[in-house]
Amino acid sequence: MKQINTFGNAAVAALPAHLLRYVVDQNYERYTWIDQAVWRYVMRQNFNYLKEIAYYPYIRGLHQAGLSIERIPDLQTINDHLGKIGWGAVTVDGFIPPSAFMEYQAHRVLVIAADIRRLEHIEYTPAPDIIHESAGHAPIIAEPEYHAYLSYFGSIGAKAMFSAKDFELYESIREVSILKESEDKKALKAAEEKLQYISENMGEPSEMALLSRLHWWTVEYGLIGTLEDPKIYGAGLLSSIGESKSCMRPEVKKLPYTIDAINYAYDITKPQPQLFVTPHFNRLLEVLEEFASTMAFRRGGAESLKKAVDCGQVCTVSLDSGVEISGKFISYSGDVDFIKTEGPTALAYGGRQLPGHDKTLHKEGYSSPIGEYFIQKGSLSVGEDVLLQYASGYTVEGRVTETLFQEGRLIVATLMECTVRTPTAEICYRPEWGRFDLVLGNKVIGVYSGAADKSAYETDVYLSEQSTKKEEYSSKLHEIYGGIRQIREGGWDISPLKDYFAILQNEFPEDWLASLEILELWPDPAVEAHLNQLKERFPEYRQVIEDGLRLHYEHSSYRSK
């Protein structure tokens, strides 16, 4: 495994090995001057607008997270600042699986997409980017009640059961988000149609699907306060200079935040028709706890085990003895009298894999009766022949060769020459199959997604075959943006701006942001006229140009006083 820079951050250093596989280098030097200008524009707009409409700690939170208006943040700076409140940050490649995202959150590590949105999508992009993750999520994390909610949500979400459809949806969303930041319009259209079809044919939503709705309507698109005067705290709104304004319009319904939010699906490619308002952050915890009480990891029993079988992915069954069985569950009988997995299966206790019971031992699958029993013959001591009669009717007969205790309690007995019979006397385990590891436990008290000891079991994590693509800008345009930046920061002679402006008009007629930055330094009427013409020629840029001009006028007026 490659070495991961932990940036001297305790939360990042404590990440388990399987989560480190998603981490990519930030490669700060790959950010272009155009990227830096996109960051600066969005942050100036946010600073100007969100100080009025965002939940009160936002601006202070920017500074606490080590973010500035002028430059894209580097990961070391973010970690230095977040480390003071017990959090950290890593960079990843776009969307990662929801369960992994939740685990990072549980470990108090902010996941930041290393890429930044293209200029064409400056108002909003469905793709995770460094603006959304750092300028959206990081500023509010310093709020104690909120970061407690984030961490707790992560620990709950990491246990949520998901379906095969959820994986299909994740891959489709990831594909759309990648293509949104490319110029392949034909492929994007096909991907969006595919996403729409999958979204409309998900069937009964899984725990993960429902939990993701709660996450969306709080962490991403949440409002706080009263229905009449709400403030923004959701990162999706804080990082969208378009929707942060439009969301306050009357046509966007404001609903009280309750458990009913799980009934509202969302579309990441469109503005949201309604938003939920919480009176305070403690309300978020109350609703999350209400939902958690319905989840398989708390309810247990046959109902929960059915979710594991339907899932078709690695899950963990927890017994009242403390034993945890991790594998792909394919069947169970009665009120969980007998469980069976296929493929690699591991046994754990208290979240730690039991010695000698890794997935290579049970590589073909695992089975065992569960429930109350009495000993008809012998004892569960090494060297003894034993016959166990279960209340369900199952019997286990064989010679005990090993025993495993935890906290003074027998939890696993290994038998040789073992025969296991069903209540109808059908043989379901034969002596010639070799050792039989019998787990002891009366009932299933919980079922959750993934392995109990992920770092031991999940030596390979799911990594999408689709990678984000960095579209290249013209080198000449890049040089113009760099020259403008040098003049602004270095106080250089502004005379080159006239030449830059002429090149923009002749060779880059759609680019508006460089002209706006030139106007800031050289308020020539010709530049302003050019920007007003661009508004008419390219209606899709009208709002961002108007917002930029408005900010220019306000600052010019301030400086003239």
Side-chain angles (χ1 to χ4, degrees):
M1 182 183 294
K2 66 178 180 179
Q3 289 294 109
I4 302 296
N5 184 356
T6 61
F7 305 97
N9 182 283
V12 176
L15 283 173
H18 70 281
L19 289 182
L20 295 178
R21 294 178 182 273
Y22 293 102
V23 177
V24 300
D25 293 329
Q26 185 183 21
N27 291 327
Y28 193 89
E29 65 280 357
R30 74 178 180 155
Y31 297 124
T32 68
W33 289 118
I34 301 174
D35 293 334
Q36 296 286 359
V38 167
W39 170 273
R40 183 174 184 267
Y41 176 90
V42 172
M43 294 306 293
R44 290 182 78 219
Q45 291 292 328
N46 279 353
F47 198 92
N48 184 64
Y49 176 69
L50 292 177
K51 67 178 184 290
E52 304 296 337
I53 201 66
Y55 181 61
Y56 75 91
Y58 180 75
I59 301 303
R60 185 174 78 241
L62 287 177
H63 301 301
Q64 289 177 318
L67 307 181
S68 75
I69 290 176
E70 293 298 321
R71 286 181 180 270
I72 296 170
D74 69 90
L75 204 54
Q76 182 66 64
T77 300
I78 294 176
N79 271 296
D80 288 345
H81 284 75
L82 291 183
K84 296 174 183 177
I85 58 170
W87 278 72
V90 295
T91 43
V92 300
D93 180 35
F95 279 111
I96 62 173
S99 57
F101 181 88
M102 293 294 180
E103 278 194 82
Y104 276 108
Q105 203 165 286
H107 285 279
R108 300 196 168 206
V109 172
L110 186 64
V111 175
I112 298 177
D115 286 325
I116 187 168
R117 65 194 64 176
R118 287 177 58 82
L119 176 56
E120 292 87 340
H121 304 136
I122 197 167
E123 286 190 283
Y124 170 75
T125 175
D129 78 330
I130 196 165
I131 292 178
H132 170 78
E133 307 295 354
S134 57
H137 286 292
I140 202 73
I141 284 182
E143 191 69 8
E145 289 179 349
Y146 184 70
H147 74 229
Y149 168 69
L150 274 185
S151 180
Y152 187 54
F153 199 114
S155 64
I156 298 295
K159 295 181 180 297
M161 301 296 294
F162 48 82
S163 68
K165 286 284 188 181
D166 291 329
F167 269 104
E168 194 177 351
L169 180 65
Y170 156 71
E171 280 288 0
S172 185
I173 289 174
R174 181 177 169 87
E175 181 182 19
V176 167
S177 72
I178 291 171
L179 291 172
K180 275 278 190 179
E181 289 298 311
S182 75
E183 296 180 351
D184 192 340
K185 305 302 180 187
K186 183 178 180 181
L188 173 60
K189 185 175 185 298
E192 287 180 329
E193 291 174 353
K194 178 182 175 183
L195 174 58
Q196 182 177 355
Y197 177 81
I198 293 172
S199 299
E200 293 174 353
N201 294 274
M202 289 292 290
E204 188 71 21
S206 66
E207 287 182 354
M208 181 61 84
L210 295 176
L211 201 58
S212 70
R213 294 178 185 178
L214 294 186
H215 197 271
W216 182 265
W217 298 124
T218 59
V219 176
E220 298 295 350
Y221 273 71
L223 301 177
I224 187 169
T226 64
L227 295 179
E228 297 73 27
D229 184 30
K231 301 293 184 184
I232 297 172
Y233 73 90
L237 293 174
L238 291 174
S239 61
S240 171
I241 56 177
E243 202 164 359
S244 61
K245 295 180 180 179
S246 64
C247 76
M248 290 301 174
R249 294 172 184 162
E251 56 265 32
V252 179
K253 295 178 183 178
K254 311 301 187 300
L255 304 173
Y257 182 62
T258 68
I259 192 68
D260 189 49
I262 65 172
N263 297 317
Y264 289 77
Y266 58 87
D267 184 341
I268 69 166
T269 66
K270 299 176 182 177
Q272 307 307 312
Q274 76 283 309
L275 297 173
F276 293 86
V277 185
T278 183
H280 44 71
F281 287 139
N282 278 339
R283 178 63 179 152
L284 305 184
L285 284 167
E286 293 167 0
V287 171
L288 178 58
E289 190 63 26
E290 184 178 351
F291 180 75
S293 66
T294 69
M295 293 174 66
F297 83 97
R298 289 211 180 150
R299 295 180 70 89
E303 171 192 0
S304 297
L305 197 49
K306 183 179 184 302
K307 291 182 179 180
V309 173
D310 293 343
C311 171
Q313 303 293 326
V314 174
C315 297
T316 295
V317 165
S318 299
L319 306 181
D320 57 352
S321 61
V323 175
E324 296 162 312
I325 307 162
S326 300
K328 292 183 181 180
F329 289 85
I330 58 172
S331 66
Y332 62 95
S333 65
D335 188 21
V336 196
D337 301 325
F338 189 87
I339 58 174
K340 186 175 182 179
T341 69
E342 67 175 4
T345 304
L347 305 183
Y349 183 91
R352 294 295 181 89
Q353 188 170 274
L354 290 172
H357 288 279
D358 61 19
K359 62 183 182 180
T360 60
L361 175 64
H362 307 290
K363 61 183 178 181
E364 303 298 333
Y366 178 81
S367 62
S368 179
I370 301 293
E372 296 182 358
Y373 64 87
F374 62 91
I375 299 176
Q376 279 194 331
K377 181 180 71 174
S379 71
L380 284 170
S381 301
V382 174
E384 288 282 317
D385 290 329
V386 68
L387 172 61
L388 304 181
Q389 176 69 55
Y390 281 78
S392 61
Y394 278 87
T395 60
V396 177
E397 186 174 13
R399 174 167 295 178
V400 181
T401 58
E402 297 177 33
T403 53
L404 184 58
F405 290 79
Q406 285 287 341
E407 301 179 40
R409 182 178 184 179
L410 178 62
I411 59 168
V412 181
T414 301
L415 286 72
M416 297 298 291
E417 301 175 21
C418 182
T419 301
V420 180
R421 289 183 172 85
T422 69
T424 57
E426 180 184 352
I427 296 177
C428 57
Y429 199 92
R430 299 178 180 278
E432 57 268 28
W433 294 354
R435 64 180 286 168
F436 181 79
D437 293 296
L438 175 70
V439 293
L440 302 177
N442 290 337
K443 60 182 179 179
V444 172
I445 61 171
V447 180
Y448 59 88
S449 172
D453 189 341
K454 289 184 170 63
S455 289
Y457 186 97
E458 299 176 4
T459 51
D460 294 314
V461 298
Y462 177 79
L463 296 173
S464 176
E465 295 179 358
Q466 305 175 81
S467 298
T468 57
K469 300 176 180 64
K470 182 73 173 176
E471 297 290 333
E472 297 296 328
Y473 293 104
S474 160
S475 59
K476 184 180 287 189
L477 186 61
H478 173 65
E479 290 172 5
I480 289 174
Y481 273 89
I484 297 170
R485 168 77 63 154
Q486 289 176 329
I487 292 171
R488 184 175 62 249
E489 293 185 348
W492 292 9
D493 175 18
I494 67 170
S495 58
L497 294 177
K498 185 175 182 180
D499 294 332
Y500 293 158
F501 180 56
I503 295 172
L504 288 170
Q505 287 179 296
N506 294 325
E507 299 184 35
F508 304 101
E510 288 190 38
D511 190 278
W512 57 270
L513 183 53
S515 295
L516 194 60
E517 291 210 326
I518 288 173
L519 182 66
E520 183 183 342
L521 300 169
W522 179 46
D524 189 280
V527 181
E528 186 173 344
H530 175 66
L531 285 165
N532 283 317
Q533 290 171 4
L534 289 177
K535 286 193 312 182
E536 302 305 318
R537 290 173 57 198
F538 304 103
E540 64 270 29
Y541 300 147
R542 172 181 289 274
Q543 190 62 55
V544 287
I545 293 173
E546 288 182 350
D547 289 343
L549 287 171
R550 186 179 301 111
L551 197 56
H552 168 69
Y553 297 145
E554 289 177 3
H555 284 204
S556 298
S557 173
Y558 176 79
R559 285 196 296 267
S560 67
K561 292 180 181 178

